[in-house]
Amino acid sequence: MATSTAKRTGSRVGWFGKFLTSSIGQKIIMSLTGLFLITFLVVHLIGNLQLIMSNDDGYAFNSYAYFMTNNPVIKTTSILLYAFIVLHAIQGILLWSKNRKARGEQRYAVKVDRTAGGSKSSIYMGSLGMVILAFIIVHMVQFWGQMHFSESIGPFEAEGYEGAKDLYALVAATYENIGMVIFYVVAMIFIAFHLWHGFQSAFQTLGLNHKKYTPLIKAVGYVYSVLVPLGFAVIPIVMYLRHQGVL
């Protein structure tokens, strides 16, 4: 009996493993993690808008950052976020590599055919994804890494926030550099193209297609892929112009 149960369990695990490494399994994982990251971006943007919503020397943003880094639920969610970013990136690279190998010597001819009837963002999702992954690494080193490991960040001196760091000052110093501002704005353009295809593709992969609802999903996806990256791009521009005394 025990041997039979073990065999059934092993069979299920083996089937699940094969599913996860199959093309359809990888696409489903890409879709689910992508939808999670899409939701996260909205929350992240709402928080980051505190950087420019008021001239309060960073009080609102530092309060938000303190809450996000000290709330146990948010901290647990953050671990999932990091895991999903890595998983999404790995699955994307694996799918891109598998598709590239499958096309073989015909990949250039296929690219031409697909360009005639498909979205360019769809064709270049792999390349876009790798550029975005590079941006995420730079972004994490620039902010998350310094927040946790740098000794040069001063304290956030406000009542009730003992031990908090002045993360607003870190962001403001970063966006005093026009090179960093341009880098972040260009990165948001890449993210916009990635989302333009990825938003609706995630629903399609999960089989959530209906002649009544699909046009609405596409419309929401297009609006989202423009407004959310635009919101992120506006932040460094406004902070730079404020530092220059223009605003």
Side-chain angles (χ1 to χ4, degrees):
M1 179 66 70
T3 303
S4 176
T5 302
K7 285 183 178 179
R8 285 198 299 270
T9 302
S11 159
R12 290 170 185 168
V13 172
W15 175 87
F16 187 64
K18 289 179 181 178
F19 171 75
L20 292 180
T21 55
S22 68
S23 293
I24 186 62
Q26 290 174 335
K27 288 178 181 177
I28 289 175
I29 292 173
M30 283 283 291
S31 299
L32 292 175
T33 55
L35 290 174
F36 178 87
L37 296 175
I38 283 170
T39 304
F40 161 76
L41 283 178
V42 175
V43 177
H44 193 44
L45 175 60
I46 292 171
N48 281 7
L49 285 174
Q50 304 303 315
L51 289 162
I52 61 174
M53 293 300 289
S54 60
N55 288 316
D56 58 0
D57 295 323
Y59 181 87
F61 178 75
N62 278 326
S63 299
Y64 155 76
Y66 182 83
F67 170 77
M68 295 294 284
T69 53
N70 287 275
N71 184 287
V73 175
I74 300 297
K75 290 173 73 173
T76 302
T77 305
S78 296
I79 295 173
L80 289 175
L81 171 66
Y82 304 143
F84 283 170
I85 289 175
V86 172
L87 185 58
H88 190 79
I90 290 174
Q91 294 291 61
I93 292 171
L94 289 175
L95 279 171
W96 173 81
S97 177
K98 184 179 293 185
N99 292 337
R100 186 177 177 85
K101 288 178 180 178
R103 290 199 301 270
E105 296 299 323
Q106 300 299 317
R107 62 180 178 271
Y108 299 108
V110 172
K111 179 185 287 188
V112 173
D113 292 340
R114 291 173 67 191
T115 303
S119 165
K120 287 187 178 181
S121 59
S122 172
I123 295 169
Y124 298 116
M125 281 295 277
S127 301
L128 285 171
M130 283 189 276
V131 171
I132 293 169
L133 178 60
F135 160 73
I136 291 174
I137 293 172
V138 172
H139 181 68
M140 293 292 287
V141 171
Q142 181 69 35
F143 295 114
W144 185 88
Q146 290 201 59
M147 177 181 71
H148 286 281
F149 305 111
S150 176
E151 299 294 333
S152 62
I153 304 174
F156 172 39
E157 297 178 346
E159 186 176 351
Y161 295 96
E162 290 74 16
K165 293 184 177 181
D166 189 357
L167 300 181
Y168 175 85
L170 170 63
V171 178
T174 299
Y175 293 146
E176 289 175 6
N177 184 331
I178 186 61
M180 292 302 296
V181 172
I182 293 172
F183 171 73
Y184 274 89
V185 170
V186 171
M188 290 307 109
I189 295 173
F190 279 98
I191 288 176
F193 276 107
H194 192 72
L195 291 170
W196 187 270
H197 171 73
F199 189 101
Q200 61 186 9
S201 177
F203 287 92
Q204 183 177 347
T205 298
L206 295 174
L208 302 176
N209 286 325
H210 190 281
K211 61 181 180 181
K212 187 175 181 180
Y213 304 117
T214 297
L216 177 61
I217 291 173
K218 287 184 177 181
V220 171
Y222 293 149
V223 171
Y224 177 97
S225 65
V226 172
L227 292 185
V228 171
L230 179 62
F232 279 111
V234 164
I235 294 171
I237 293 173
V238 169
M239 295 190 74
Y240 177 78
L241 292 178
R242 280 181 179 174
H243 175 70
Q244 296 299 314
V246 177
L247 296 177

